[in-house]
Amino acid sequence: MLSKKHVLHALIAARAEGLVNGRVARDFSSFLSPKIEQKTNAFQKRGAELVKCTAKGQIRSVETGDTKTNILYDVHFQSLIKQGKFFYIEEEMETRMAVFYKNTLITDRLIDLLEEEPIAEYVEKNDLEKEPAEMRAHPYNRLAVVRYAETWWNSYNPKYKKFENDCTNFISQCVHEGGAPMRGYPNKGNGWWMQNNSWSYSWSVANAFRAYLKNSKAGLKAKQVTQPHELMLGDVICYDFEGDGKWNHTTVVVAKDANGMPLVNAHTYNSRMRYWAYEDSTAYTPNIQYEFFHILG
């Protein structure tokens, strides 16, 4: 009989193989997520092909009871994608919980981190009418944004606080490292800042960050555009997965695909060079809304 570790290893390998060929291994058919079909459909829709996928697992913790064992683990996927003559590597992290009855796997599920994003309102009422000169002296360095997003997409810079739901905090870091100046400290509902172990709602919460980008007249400013292909490297995409007006995810553009569409990096579900539309995400719904922000500077 296979050990629990070997069962998980086989399951991870079956999931990677299924992503490439679209077929579900018989032994694990009840444990492989609809993501295989979602990803296959998303690739076909934009004329791309997943050529090769590798996956490595890392156990975080093991809880052992009398008959059941819960194993929390991470999986790192690396996918080689071909789109015409254009090749690139997409990377994703998943955190999963496997439950064994004795040595038999009974459930394996994705930990849905995106649902934990808090909702905070952007409460600033009187934004600056005139931008101070010291804020105009910060040109936006898009290559610095991309370098930072590539360096830290799957790790955490100790210079900044880490959040359990880290997506907007990470994008704020990327944009700040590109030269966007903070302002508003110490009012949490004003401006955009992280300082002295405190931070504004707009720095760390997707809903508030999106509102700040739409309204800011000083410091970090953005112009909303209507189509994703209008974005440049270092620009930002905001997501409302349910289409209910509560924005719950944020990504940064780090590259373009063969059709000139954005590829993005993100935290929470740490990912690199992911196609912007998130149609292969478990959080995706037919009601999803996007807003596209070109950072000015």
Side-chain angles (χ1 to χ4, degrees):
M1 179 178 291
L2 293 177
S3 69
K4 297 178 184 68
K5 185 175 180 180
H6 283 94
V7 170
L8 284 182
H9 179 79
L11 175 60
I12 290 168
R15 186 171 286 117
E17 182 180 355
L19 288 169
V20 175
N21 60 35
R23 296 191 298 271
V24 176
R26 182 182 302 174
D27 293 344
F28 296 108
S29 59
S30 60
F31 300 108
L32 298 185
S33 69
K35 183 173 181 176
I36 291 176
E37 183 178 357
Q38 288 177 301
K39 210 166 187 71
T40 299
N41 292 339
F43 282 132
Q44 290 176 347
K45 187 175 178 180
R46 62 190 183 98
E49 175 187 359
L50 202 166
V51 177
K52 183 179 180 180
C53 180
T54 61
K56 294 181 180 180
Q58 178 72 43
I59 292 175
R60 283 199 192 187
S61 63
V62 179
E63 290 184 11
T64 303
D66 293 337
T67 58
K68 288 186 179 181
T69 301
N70 298 332
I71 300 179
L72 183 69
Y73 68 102
D74 295 324
V75 187
H76 181 184
F77 293 95
Q78 289 184 306
S79 302
L80 177 62
I81 296 168
K82 179 178 184 291
Q83 190 181 27
K85 296 181 179 180
F86 179 63
F87 288 83
Y88 68 95
I89 293 177
E90 175 190 271
E91 299 186 67
E92 291 181 74
M93 296 296 299
E94 288 186 353
T95 299
R96 307 190 67 88
M97 174 66 76
V99 179
F100 286 82
Y101 176 77
K102 297 183 178 179
N103 271 349
T104 301
L105 180 65
I106 55 175
T107 63
D108 180 82
R109 64 181 180 86
L110 182 70
I111 303 299
D112 200 347
L113 301 171
L114 287 175
E115 288 191 351
E116 298 173 5
E117 169 73 62
I119 299 299
E121 296 298 331
Y122 173 75
V123 297
E124 182 170 315
K125 301 298 183 183
N126 298 307
D127 209 334
L128 300 177
E129 292 297 326
K130 195 171 183 179
E131 185 173 26
E134 63 271 19
M135 290 188 178
R136 294 196 297 269
H138 291 76
Y140 192 56
N141 187 334
R142 296 179 182 278
L143 292 182
V145 176
V146 173
R147 282 195 298 268
Y148 188 88
E150 288 285 271
T151 299
W152 297 101
W153 77 269
N154 195 30
S155 56
Y156 301 87
N157 187 346
K159 175 180 172 181
Y160 296 96
K161 179 179 172 60
K162 175 186 173 182
F163 294 83
E164 184 173 358
N165 190 307
D166 201 62
C167 70
T168 303
N169 174 47
F170 175 61
I171 303 309
S172 286
Q173 292 173 33
C174 293
V175 172
H176 177 59
E177 293 292 331
M182 300 180 191
R183 67 174 180 86
Y185 174 82
N187 186 337
K188 293 181 74 70
N190 187 70
W192 172 78
W193 54 271
M194 175 175 276
Q195 188 174 335
N196 295 333
N197 202 34
S198 186
W199 52 90
S200 64
Y201 298 128
S202 58
W203 181 277
S204 62
V205 179
N207 201 56
F209 184 57
R210 173 257 180 185
Y212 179 81
L213 291 178
K214 288 179 74 74
N215 292 286
S216 177
K217 299 180 179 67
L220 169 59
K221 297 183 296 182
K223 174 186 176 183
Q224 190 171 349
V225 297
T226 57
Q227 298 297 326
H229 69 261
E230 298 178 76
L231 297 175
M232 299 171 61
L233 304 190
D235 286 340
V236 169
I237 304 177
C238 298
Y239 301 75
D240 172 5
F241 288 113
E242 299 82 15
D244 60 1
K246 297 177 181 178
W247 298 81
N248 37 32
H249 191 49
T250 318
T251 66
V252 64
V253 179
V254 296
K256 293 290 191 78
D257 73 359
N259 296 325
M261 300 299 278
L263 302 174
V264 300
N265 285 18
H267 267 195
T268 301
Y269 288 136
N270 296 354
S271 54
R272 173 181 178 268
M273 299 280 280
R274 186 171 187 167
Y275 190 65
W276 70 272
Y278 267 65
E279 291 174 330
D280 60 347
S281 169
T282 55
Y284 177 87
T285 76
N287 298 321
I288 192 169
Q289 297 292 314
Y290 311 95
E291 287 190 351
F292 311 107
F293 292 96
H294 173 65
I295 306 299
L296 302 175

